[in-house]
Amino acid sequence: MLDRALTLPTKNAFRRIDGAHVEWAVSTAPVAYPDAVAAMEARAAAIAEGDAPEMAWLLEHPALYTAGVSAKANDLLQADRFPVFQSGRGGQFTYHGPGQRVVYVMLDLTQRGRDVRAFVAALEAWVIGALDAFDVTGQIRQDRVGVWVERAGPGAMRREDKIAAIGVKLRRWVSFHGISLNVQPDLSHFEGIVPCGVSEHGVTSLIDMGLAVTMAEADAALRESFKSVFGDTRDADPPLPTN
């Protein structure tokens, strides 16, 4: 399958026109999904009005499934396992839970060029750059959303597992939702769904690949890579109080 790596943006390709910093906020306690969505939508609306700066919000959710706008009912295999939430983001079913770093990305694409394809490529480049900090080669596939890694399979075969999911929504050219990186989640929790509608490939994480990466280390790699693609960041409080 064709690899889209050659189409990834160059360094700093998706910076703001005015060079303004993006607020970087981390929630230290799990955030309920409905609360996160409400806070994210409010912040995106404020950004569109010019009343708030852009933000990348890092958090973890309690174990749950979300259904994107393209989700198929048959892909929910264990409906009673975890709470299921309808989501306005693109994509199909996905899992969120402890040990997975979710980053909600609220950026003003009017300030960065109104190019959705370039934005998605920039998100991919961001995740791939963060993985590179741990000597993990992230790859993109033409027919599958997310970031993938190649791994040894039976015999001389190779297999591909997803390590990060991408699902975004735009409203008034401000983005929300974002990415999720599997740092050290319980991978058995993905068994209740067909992740992103893909059944012929697996799911992995940094710990599953033998890398004992802490969430703080993953956050540092994500921040450094984010700066190389989207521009400088500054520390900020999350849009919801930390418990």
Side-chain angles (χ1 to χ4, degrees), residues 6 19 41 54 86 95-96 106 136 140 185 202 206 215 232:
L6 294 177
E41 291 194 349
E54 297 174 309
Q86 298 298 313
Y95 164 78
H96 294 313
M106 292 157 275
V136 174
I140 306 302
L206 291 172
M215 194 65 76
D232 292 332

Side-chain angles (χ1 to χ4, degrees), residues 20 34 37-38 70 77 81 90 94 96 118 165-166 169 178 180 191 196 213:
V37 171
S70 301
L77 306 178
R81 185 165 188 177
T94 194
H96 294 313
I166 296 174
K169 183 177 178 65
S180 59
E191 295 171 2
C196 299
V213 177

